[in-house]
Amino acid sequence: MTMNSLKTSPFLKACRREKTSFTPVWFMRQAGRYMKEYRAIRDKVSFLDLCKNPDLCAEVAVTAQEKIGADAAILFSDLLLILEPFGFGLEYTSGDGPVITGKIESRADVDRLPEMEPDGSLQYVSDAVRKTRASLKPAIPLIGFSGLPFTLAAYILEGKSSRIFSKAKHFMTFQPAAWHSLMEKISRAVIRYVNGQIKAGADAIQLFDSWVGCLSSEEYREYVLPHSRAVISGIQKGVPVIHFGTGTGSFLKTFREAGGDVISVDHRIALDQAWEQAGYDVAIQGNLDPLALCGPAAQLRSRVKKILDQAGGRPGHIFNLGHGIVPQTPVDNVIRSIDLVHELSAR
């Protein structure tokens, strides 16, 4: 009965491009700093300690889903946790965000990286999946996630967030053999990681290529596509995969070639144009500008309606943001936007 209610949830039906009575909606970073319950926990524990505490991860994820009324919950975790088992240092600073220590400068450095076994080193993530799944209402799907190889490699090579990713692109271009070896090693780890989340109870997987928009279509095809495709093809069959990237509007057809049941797009491209480029034989997720949630209610309604109009009622649309909720977002606006999606898309 529980499995059937999950299978027929609007979110999972949309992943399969089946008809739903309304457009399902969830938001990236729906559990985060904009919510007082999250801030209360963060006042007591560091971000990294929170990520490594399965009980708190479950509490944060479930509280957020229930408070805003989203049609799915997403695991509370972080993209970069997978880097620690490779031997990299990971620290989160208040001003600069994540800082990764440990350099990769050559093929020899890549060869020294261990094969990552998440069953041991990332057991706390699997535990968080189990606890979150057990705490959610039976009909609410849980989304697990990971970064894709390019975004993870870019973080490793830059050592932090970047705007232009000069170190990563230099390594990619001038040491292609070492680059592909690094991407293959990360790919194997990501496949094990997400399949472990599925085994623990994740109902869908979102794969983030948050930084891939810094590449040209040709660079993506040569240096990234084979590895993203390998990851997606290695994920347990029957579990929907959402393939997310930012800045992909100029090469969505190529991006889609990597695979995924759902292509998630940012707010820099109109949803109808994105769907046409990606192809109507795939579901699509997106794509309200996160800052729209900080604006007046009347404008929010019109912007939500515009995206729903662009989707045209076609089966397979999951409403989301172009990226994550920003910290200054009023909680009431998040709740209102979800109510609007349900109201305006009812059919």
Side-chain angles (χ1 to χ4, degrees):
M1 184 174 180
T2 298
M3 289 301 295
N4 186 57
S5 62
L6 261 177
K7 188 176 181 181
T8 58
S9 72
F11 169 79
L12 290 176
K13 287 180 72 174
C15 288
R16 301 190 298 265
R17 291 185 296 114
E18 296 173 5
K19 290 183 178 180
T20 56
S21 57
F22 58 86
T23 298
V25 53
W26 70 279
F27 290 146
M28 286 173 267
R29 296 196 191 128
Q30 63 188 27
R33 286 175 290 170
Y34 78 102
M35 196 170 277
K36 65 180 181 180
E37 292 86 351
Y38 174 83
R39 294 196 303 271
I41 291 174
R42 283 285 282 108
D43 285 343
K44 300 173 186 175
V45 297
S46 70
F47 179 72
L48 199 51
D49 286 342
L50 171 54
C51 288
K52 294 182 177 183
N53 186 317
D55 290 322
L56 289 180
C57 286
E59 180 183 339
V60 167
V62 175
T63 298
Q65 183 276 320
E66 291 182 345
K67 183 164 186 172
I68 65 176
D71 295 304
I74 186 165
L75 173 70
F76 187 87
S77 188
D78 189 76
L79 293 180
L80 302 182
L81 299 178
I82 195 174
L83 301 187
E84 284 192 318
F86 281 117
F88 296 102
L90 178 61
E91 181 183 358
Y92 293 86
T93 61
S94 57
D96 300 321
V99 176
I100 299 97
T101 53
K103 291 186 177 181
I104 295 291
E105 296 178 335
S106 67
R107 175 66 181 266
D109 293 333
V110 175
D111 291 342
R112 280 193 288 269
L113 293 177
E115 291 289 333
M116 200 273 285
E117 294 294 342
D119 283 350
S121 52
L122 292 171
Q123 183 63 44
Y124 61 87
V125 177
S126 295
D127 289 343
V129 172
R130 289 189 191 93
K131 288 181 180 292
T132 307
R133 178 63 273 165
S135 301
L136 282 169
K137 293 175 181 174
I140 298 296
L142 174 61
I143 304 166
F145 71 89
S146 173
L148 276 168
F150 174 79
T151 290
L152 295 173
Y155 268 115
I156 290 170
L157 293 163
E158 299 292 336
K160 59 182 180 180
S161 296
S162 174
R163 290 184 180 276
I164 58 174
F165 297 94
S166 57
K167 293 178 183 177
K169 293 180 79 170
H170 188 276
F171 189 82
M172 178 181 80
T173 305
F174 295 104
Q175 296 194 65
W179 168 264
H180 286 296
S181 180
L182 175 61
M183 293 285 277
E184 287 166 3
K185 189 161 280 190
I186 294 172
S187 296
R188 291 192 291 272
V190 171
I191 291 169
R192 296 186 191 111
Y193 185 44
V194 297
N195 282 335
Q197 292 181 35
I198 292 168
K199 184 178 179 182
D203 304 299
I205 294 292
Q206 175 148 316
L207 298 173
F208 288 86
D209 230 346
S210 306
W211 305 128
V212 79
C214 73
L215 301 176
S216 68
S217 178
E218 292 76 15
E219 289 171 329
Y220 180 84
R221 180 172 292 280
E222 182 173 354
Y223 297 108
V224 179
L225 175 60
H227 307 289
S228 293
R229 180 185 282 144
V231 168
I232 293 170
S233 65
I235 294 174
Q236 181 180 314
K237 305 308 178 201
V239 177
V241 174
I242 305 167
H243 188 189
F244 170 80
T246 60
T248 57
S250 63
F251 58 93
L252 263 177
K253 287 183 179 179
T254 310
F255 184 76
R256 190 270 163 94
E257 285 181 37
D261 302 282
V262 185
I263 301 299
S264 188
V265 294
D266 69 16
H267 51 281
R268 297 174 183 88
I269 182 171
L271 189 86
D272 52 353
Q273 295 175 16
W275 211 342
E276 183 178 11
Q277 288 184 40
Y280 296 122
D281 57 338
V282 70
I284 197 157
Q285 179 175 274
N287 64 339
L288 183 70
D289 185 339
L291 291 178
L293 294 179
C294 300
Q299 189 179 77
L300 181 58
R301 183 182 184 91
S302 66
R303 296 184 75 164
V304 167
K305 186 177 185 303
K306 183 176 182 180
I307 291 169
L308 292 172
D309 287 346
Q310 289 170 346
R314 181 180 286 109
H317 178 215
I318 299 163
F319 197 100
N320 208 308
L321 303 177
H323 208 274
I325 295 177
V326 297
Q328 66 268 32
T329 305
V331 174
D332 286 347
N333 281 6
V334 177
I335 297 170
R336 183 178 295 112
S337 65
I338 290 175
D339 289 343
L340 282 170
V341 172
H342 290 162
E343 172 198 334
L344 296 173
S345 66
R347 43 190 175 262

